[in-house]
Amino acid sequence: SGRQLPPYFLLLQCDSKENFLFHRRSDVLMMTPWFAPIVWEGTYNSEILNEQFRRRNVTVGLTVFAIKKYTVFLNKFLETAETYFMVGHRVNYYIFTDRPEEVPKVPLKEGRNVVVLQVQNYPRWQEISMRRMELINSFSQQRFINEVSYLVCVDVDMRFNDQVGVEILSNLFGTLHPHFYAAERQSFTYERRPASQAYVPRDEGDFYYAGGFFGGTVMEVYKLTKKCHEAMMVDKAKGIEAIWQDESYLNKYFVYYKPTKILSPEYLWDDDLGRPEILKKIRFLALPKNHAAIRNK
Ligand code: U5P
């Protein structure tokens, strides 16, 4: 007497040496109040997930923009993606660029393709960054919907540094911004001007998400990019550009259309922030860049 027994199924698992149902962390938030999992190392079983997604023969599209000088990042990006991104699954890399001749030929594993999509450039880096929404949107309808199940939309000035697999996939997912994952709502850098379509009131918003890593099913990404692009165009007509460009519109969207899964900052890290203990893996890492030398060139 005195000692309470765990529920029956937990008891069963305690008997097995593997304890494979016990994927849990007590040092991080693992679930949002709307029951979306937050993906941290140690909270999932990649063997089970890989089997589920392999059975569905899922193809994942990875969209990346390399406009003007940003083509220099493609080689490292693709090489490291071949090592770490969706290993064992079918992948299409969609490379949007104005300089197709500068796309490097990187050796690809079976079931993986590079698709180069030639697009125009814009003089301002802010506009290049924001126009990604419009382009992802129009290509989702024309092309991605026929070729892939999920889209993963990321920045290019990055390297994969550890496994990024099917654990990230869900209808709609965003990534906790590495600067704000431990911050209070009051300090989130949402757009605060009510005149902007990206405006988020002080008493709203759950997390601050990074502009450089989001995704979902093609249909959900289509809806997200459509809303964000339209909001940008309304602002543009009024001479407004949100404080963090596309990231601001993305954050606004996620307040009202909540992600069904959230990625921890393991999936978008910047070593300027050091390497805190709670990060068991650093999967996708910002490369140092000289902003003045590379932007607007
Ligand atoms: N980008 C370009 N060329 C530019 C500026 C931005 O391709 O001249 C794209 C890259 O994919 C980059 C993303 O990762 O927009 C966001 O810009 P940044 O905040 O990384 O500079």
Side-chain angles (χ1 to χ4, degrees):
S1 70
R3 184 170 164 268
Q4 257 205 305
L5 287 175
Y8 179 64
F9 79 95
L10 286 180
L11 198 62
L12 271 180
Q13 291 311 318
C14 286
D15 282 347
S16 89
K17 282 205 185 69
E18 312 271 294
N19 266 350
F20 65 88
L21 282 185
F22 288 92
H23 290 281
R24 98 150 51 132
R25 297 260 304 257
S26 55
D27 57 337
V28 293
L29 187 66
M30 278 181 55
M31 175 104 75
T32 69
W34 60 91
F35 294 128
I38 306 178
V39 185
W40 296 88
E41 174 62 10
T43 64
Y44 62 90
N45 182 317
S46 45
E47 240 173 85
I48 298 174
L49 290 169
N50 276 326
E51 213 172 286
Q52 287 181 335
F53 283 86
R54 273 309 309 155
R55 197 173 297 134
R56 289 164 54 193
N57 199 23
V58 159
T59 304
V60 180
L62 182 63
T63 71
V64 74
F65 286 71
I67 309 288
K68 297 195 278 191
K69 273 203 172 173
Y70 280 59
T71 54
V72 299
F73 295 113
L74 281 172
N75 196 55
K76 177 71 65 197
F77 178 92
L78 288 168
E79 264 180 23
T80 58
E82 278 299 292
T83 307
Y84 294 118
F85 183 74
M86 300 290 163
V87 175
H89 298 274
R90 305 176 52 80
V91 171
N92 285 357
Y93 298 103
Y94 295 112
I95 301 176
F96 293 83
T97 185
D98 59 332
R99 299 178 179 180
E101 68 287 354
E102 290 183 15
V103 176
K105 296 267 177 295
V106 171
L108 302 174
K109 300 208 183 77
E110 204 193 320
R112 305 171 74 99
N113 304 293
V114 164
V115 179
V116 178
L117 302 169
Q118 187 165 6
V119 295
Q120 72 171 105
N121 64 36
Y122 291 92
R124 296 171 58 245
W125 63 263
Q126 294 91 337
E127 181 116 33
I128 292 172
S129 188
M130 293 204 295
R131 288 283 174 175
R132 292 184 291 175
M133 293 292 187
E134 179 181 31
L135 287 162
I136 293 169
N137 183 254
S138 74
F139 278 86
S140 291
Q141 200 174 19
Q142 286 169 33
R143 176 156 197 166
F144 302 153
I145 193 75
N146 304 312
E147 298 183 355
V148 299
S149 307
Y150 293 94
L151 286 171
V152 179
C153 308
V154 298
D155 279 357
V156 74
D157 48 340
M158 306 285 301
R159 56 166 296 164
F160 290 88
N161 187 65
D162 211 323
Q163 298 297 333
V164 174
V166 296
E167 75 280 357
I168 71 172
L169 300 177
S170 189
N171 279 354
L172 180 65
F173 61 87
T175 304
L176 300 180
H177 193 294
H179 286 98
F180 300 100
Y181 69 95
E184 303 262 319
R185 175 192 268 166
Q186 277 62 37
S187 64
F188 294 166
T189 52
Y190 296 139
E191 173 58 60
R192 299 299 190 185
R193 290 169 295 174
S196 169
Q197 296 291 309
Y199 170 61
V200 178
R202 295 264 168 205
D203 59 349
E204 289 187 47
D206 311 291
F207 299 101
Y208 190 78
Y209 302 92
F213 200 140
F214 66 89
T217 59
V218 179
M219 189 45 86
E220 287 303 321
V221 171
Y222 172 83
K223 289 192 258 179
L224 176 154
T225 50
K226 184 167 191 289
K227 269 260 196 276
C228 288
H229 176 62
E230 285 170 358
M232 287 172 191
M233 290 302 105
V234 171
D235 276 3
K236 196 181 172 73
K238 292 196 270 184
I240 300 174
E241 184 174 280
I243 177 167
W244 291 105
Q245 299 87 36
D246 40 300
E247 184 171 271
S248 303
Y249 298 93
L250 179 74
N251 270 281
K252 170 72 178 247
Y253 187 84
F254 280 153
V255 175
Y256 302 107
Y257 304 86
K258 300 209 190 290
T260 54
K261 194 178 265 187
I262 295 182
L263 311 184
S264 70
E266 295 167 9
Y267 292 87
L268 205 167
W269 192 249
D270 182 340
D271 270 343
D272 286 354
L273 298 164
R275 295 203 170 186
E277 179 65 20
I278 60 161
L279 286 189
K280 306 300 179 203
K281 282 192 170 176
I282 295 180
R283 304 166 191 271
F284 193 49
L285 186 59
L287 293 174
K289 72 171 183 277
N290 179 338
H291 285 88
I294 200 134
R295 281 176 165 169
N296 296 335
K297 300 291 168 191

